[in-house]
Amino acid sequence: MADPSSYRPRPGQIPDSPGVYRFRDEHRRVIYVGKAKSLRQRLANYFQDLANLHPRTRSMVTTAASVEWTVVSTEVEALQLEYSWIKEYDPRFNVKYRDDKSYPYLAVTMNEEFPRVQVMRGHKKKGVRYFGPYAHAWAIRDTVDLLLRVFPVRTCSAGVFKNAARTGRPCLLGYIGKCSAPCVERISAEDHRELAEEFCDFMTGRTGTYIRRLEARMAEAAEDMEYERAARLRDDIGALKKAMEKNAVVLADATDADLVAVAEDELEAAVQIFHVRGGRVRGQRGWVTDKVEDITTGALVEHALQQLYGEETGDSVPKEVLVPALPEPVEPVQEWLTTRRGAHVSLRVPQRGDKKSLMETVQRNAQQALVLHKTKRASDLTTRSRALEEIAEALGLDSAPLRIECYDISHLQGEDVVASMVVFEDGLQRKSEYRRFQIRGFEGQDDVRSMHEVLGRRFRRYLADKEKTGEWSDGEAALTEEDGRPKRFAYPPQLVVVDGGQPQVAAAQRALDELGIDDIAVCGLAKRLEEVWLPGEDDPVVLPRTSEGLYLLQRIRDEAHRFAITYQRTKRAKRLRSGPLDDVPGLGETRKQALIKHFGSVKRLRAATLDQIQEVPGIGRKTAETIAVALARSAPAAPAVNTATGEIIEEEEPVGPAGTADPPQEPVSAGTSQERRGQET
């Protein structure tokens, strides 16, 4: 690990002008490329006290062995040079988006004498018009099949074309009218190129003019009593409209725009792009990236735009690009996009209307793509094995922790304090082993004390079960109840993870020490910086951002957090909905609703006689007596009196949730309580 001070340039050496800088490691490999409006100010941020740097930045500067820079004239030039160097050097600490699939495009080879319509993948070629990308190749073929009857452009390969020209016989599409057969000179090269250009115009969204032209020709043919020609034109119009219906109108003003959405967590980010042309979604694509550097949403958007338009020019860059957050600063990026297009490009965040609604749809797709990526990653056996090995190595365990338990505390400003326990075995969720706890030992908010209580209760139960069955009991009998079900706390984990930092870890370790348990490892995962804390250690273990072990720990912690908050919400909602009828034994929800519906309020029900209560369907004499006794015990205090007028203030008792002056708030999940207090994370 290098000391950044060993290669830090002198302050006077770094120019105070725009530029691009490169960090290299000891083998002269470029590990990071960045741009700056002022190289002097930006590079100074890297050479401060390591304790003040973000862990990811700290890892980068300690891996590097030298830094160099190139001065440019403007921030736009810096943006272009940064993109070029990232493509050239592929630095490990830069954000690198990777396609979640190889997207197919509809391509028209305008660089050939007889342009051809085909499906193409991979890098784009000069002189070829591209449309899409599409999610599936069959979607392209369906669209082309509909359009060929109107625009019979060549679709055959070079070999088929040459063979037809040699024999003088066109292929099947030429016989059925879906190819103009330039191979046998049924159409000239100039006319065929014009046909291909009309095809491209239609695909770019200029549909209304062409359909109106066909409709006029159809009406003209009908007036001339050329009914077969009119019928053929009618079918052509139907084919075009059917092709248009495949791409629903989403923006009524025939907008040309790309919508970019980002879904992210601490470790990864997913980007989804919708290509809208002529008000219709013409294509969709997405990327996923590991966040190996500390980066904002705006910076993720900037890198996505570089990836998306770095090789594009002209109409491939739309007039409008809608994003969830603007890069900082936004002017160089917008100017760079304008340069790529050759005309003004608007880069903005949609605020209202159809564009904002469509952006929400793109955002949902990005979120789904991230969830799907994580699901695939978590289900891979090799990946899970590597994650467990990395955890064992980082924590100094003798073997991979096949059973991991994670604990989290959740509360709402000190009320309804609960805890969760989730279990992962072999890197997968074991939901049947999940457990929930209510904090009983004290009142109020104390996350550390709550963690100590929960761990103590869980492992006291484990020791009690162990003592009942005997330490050397054989087989599954020691781990199951008499009915064959697994005992609630019979299986000990190899690793206990707590959601929090040093205080929570110390409390968990203290609970195990008090019970004499010394064969279970303990660690904590702090939310803010994703640091792993060990008992008795002053410094955390910082796993690489690309570590599968860190990814697994994060999933376990997030699942414990979700499970704790779900329980806390349920408990709070039940408390808010509670009323006098809840204390009546044997009175279910259906009969409670029937009573309230019949009398209108608890107050009127309390004033009713036994005979009146029995008038409610399903209520007998004994139940009516029980209800009357329960309501008498819960009778409210004396009515309030307005001291100015002497008037008695009568209030109806609430039927549903209990009245409260403050609106319901979201629960707080502990762990790093100082950073989470008062908000849900």
Side-chain angles (χ1 to χ4, degrees), residues 376-673:
K376 290 179 179 178
R377 185 173 176 180
S379 62
D380 182 68
L381 177 60
T382 304
T383 302
R384 296 202 315 271
S385 300
R386 185 166 67 250
L388 294 173
E389 291 172 0
E390 289 179 0
I391 292 174
E393 182 179 354
L395 304 185
L397 306 181
D398 295 333
S399 59
L402 297 183
R403 180 183 170 101
I404 302 175
E405 293 180 3
C406 185
Y407 297 82
D408 187 25
I409 308 296
S410 182
H411 57 83
L412 178 64
Q413 297 181 348
E415 294 186 357
D416 299 321
V417 185
V418 300
S420 67
M421 165 186 143
V422 301
V423 179
F424 276 58
E425 290 189 352
D426 197 21
L428 295 176
Q429 297 174 350
R430 198 59 194 275
K431 291 194 174 184
S432 62
E433 300 286 316
Y434 286 13
R435 298 291 179 259
R436 304 181 301 189
F437 301 84
Q438 295 185 46
I439 304 303
R440 302 168 180 166
F442 61 96
E443 297 290 336
Q445 173 185 342
D446 189 335
D447 302 337
V448 175
R449 190 175 173 186
S450 299
M451 188 66 73
H452 179 270
E453 176 184 330
V454 169
L455 269 294
R457 286 164 54 188
R458 184 265 183 267
F459 286 102
R460 271 195 296 273
R461 181 67 178 271
Y462 159 65
L463 293 177
D465 288 344
K466 185 177 178 182
E467 184 178 353
K468 284 181 182 178
T469 58
E471 181 150 2
W472 294 279
S473 295
D474 186 38
E476 292 292 324
L479 300 175
T480 57
E481 303 284 4
E482 293 179 359
D483 58 2
R485 292 180 299 175
K487 292 185 177 180
R488 294 173 62 85
F489 295 105
Y491 296 92
Q494 285 81 47
L495 174 64
V496 167
V497 180
V498 298
D499 185 8
Q502 280 180 305
Q504 286 79 8
V505 173
Q509 186 62 56
R510 188 168 67 255
L512 294 180
D513 292 342
E514 291 171 356
L515 296 173
I517 298 175
D518 57 3
D519 56 350
I520 297 176
V522 177
C523 74
L525 187 60
K527 177 80 172 175
R528 188 167 62 89
L529 296 177
E530 303 297 329
E531 299 168 329
V532 180
W533 291 91
L534 297 177
E537 298 292 336
D538 294 331
D539 297 317
V541 176
V542 180
L543 294 174
R545 301 300 295 178
T546 56
S547 166
E548 293 295 340
L550 178 60
Y551 173 75
L552 178 57
L553 288 176
Q554 184 199 35
R555 284 188 60 235
I556 296 173
R557 187 271 317 280
D558 291 346
E559 177 67 3
H561 177 61
R562 180 201 65 80
F563 193 51
I565 282 184
T566 301
Y567 180 38
Q568 204 279 340
R569 284 175 176 164
T570 303
K571 192 170 181 289
R572 173 166 54 99
K574 184 177 180 181
R575 175 174 57 82
L576 293 175
R577 288 195 301 266
S578 63
L581 293 178
D582 292 332
D583 298 329
V584 179
L587 190 64
E589 191 65 31
T590 301
R591 290 197 289 177
K592 279 194 290 184
Q593 292 180 3
L595 286 166
I596 295 300
K597 184 177 180 181
H598 183 83
F599 290 100
S601 70
V602 175
K603 180 182 176 182
R604 295 193 182 99
L605 173 59
R606 183 179 280 116
T609 64
L610 291 178
D611 293 336
Q612 291 173 330
I613 296 176
Q614 292 180 73
E615 293 176 3
V616 179
I619 303 297
R621 180 77 182 182
K622 186 175 181 181
T623 304
E625 292 175 352
T626 306
I627 293 172
V629 171
L631 292 178
R633 289 175 179 171
S634 62
V641 178
N642 188 323
T643 56
T645 64
E647 179 185 3
I648 297 177
I649 303 173
E650 296 186 1
E651 295 182 356
E652 293 287 336
E653 293 185 47
V655 175
T660 175
D662 298 320
Q665 303 178 45
E666 290 302 315
V668 177
S669 181
T672 53
S673 59

Side-chain angles (χ1 to χ4, degrees), residues 92-351:
R92 55 179 288 200
F93 283 98
N94 278 95
V95 169
K96 295 184 290 291
Y97 291 106
R98 54 188 184 274
D99 279 341
D100 53 5
K101 56 180 74 69
S102 179
Y103 289 95
Y105 286 83
L106 171 59
V108 184
T109 58
M110 301 301 292
N111 56 346
E112 298 182 7
E113 180 183 6
F114 298 98
R116 175 191 176 194
V117 176
Q118 60 179 325
V119 177
M120 293 186 72
R121 299 176 185 264
H123 296 291
K124 295 184 177 180
K125 300 177 181 179
K126 188 176 181 180
V128 179
R129 296 284 301 275
Y130 291 90
F131 305 95
Y134 289 77
H136 303 282
W138 56 260
I140 302 177
R141 296 189 179 99
D142 286 351
T143 301
V144 171
D145 187 62
L146 289 169
L147 295 180
L148 284 181
R149 64 171 295 122
V150 185
F151 308 104
V153 186
R154 167 199 165 205
T155 58
C156 60
S157 65
V160 173
F161 186 88
K162 290 178 181 179
N163 185 60
R166 180 178 56 81
T167 60
R169 295 196 305 271
C171 63
L172 177 62
L173 292 180
Y175 281 111
I176 65 176
K178 287 193 173 182
C179 179
S180 55
C183 54
V184 293
E185 299 182 353
R186 286 186 186 173
I187 187 174
S188 65
E190 293 76 13
D191 291 342
H192 184 268
R193 178 170 293 274
E194 183 178 349
L195 196 63
E197 289 174 350
E198 289 180 350
F199 179 92
C200 294
D201 288 343
F202 187 87
M203 290 300 301
T204 54
R206 302 185 183 97
T207 57
T209 301
Y210 198 81
I211 288 179
R212 285 193 295 271
R213 189 190 311 165
L214 288 180
E215 288 174 342
R217 289 165 56 187
M218 180 182 67
E220 181 183 340
E223 288 179 2
D224 295 339
M225 292 186 291
E226 298 180 10
Y227 298 119
E228 291 184 2
R229 178 166 165 263
R232 193 162 54 251
L233 290 170
R234 178 203 61 199
D235 294 341
D236 290 348
I237 293 170
L240 291 181
K241 289 183 176 180
K242 188 174 180 180
M244 291 168 60
E245 289 170 0
K246 286 181 173 292
N247 296 305
V249 176
V250 292
L251 298 176
D253 56 355
T255 300
D256 290 347
D258 283 350
L259 290 88
V260 182
V262 178
E264 58 181 312
D265 58 18
E266 290 80 5
L267 295 178
E268 294 177 304
V271 174
Q272 282 286 308
I273 302 101
F274 275 24
H275 302 277
V276 179
R277 299 295 182 269
R280 301 172 184 271
V281 177
R282 300 289 184 178
Q284 175 188 357
R285 66 190 305 183
W287 297 304
V288 180
T289 182
D290 292 318
K291 294 171 65 174
V292 294
E293 57 175 322
D294 186 17
I295 191 169
T296 63
T297 302
L300 284 170
V301 168
E302 180 178 320
H303 287 293
L305 296 179
Q306 287 180 315
Q307 176 99 355
L308 190 59
Y309 304 117
E311 307 293 336
E312 304 292 347
T313 56
D315 291 340
S316 298
V317 182
K319 299 176 183 178
E320 193 173 10
V321 180
L322 305 177
V323 295
L326 293 175
E328 183 61 39
V330 67
E331 291 79 10
V333 180
Q334 187 163 315
E335 187 177 342
W336 175 70
L337 291 173
T338 298
T339 303
R340 305 299 303 177
R341 175 177 170 80
H344 178 70
V345 175
S346 173
L347 179 63
R348 64 187 185 88
V349 179
Q351 300 296 331

Side-chain angles (χ1 to χ4, degrees), residues 366-377:
Q367 192 66 49
Q368 181 62 32
L370 183 62
V371 171
L372 182 61
H373 169 75
K374 286 181 172 292
T375 302
K376 290 179 179 178
R377 185 173 176 180

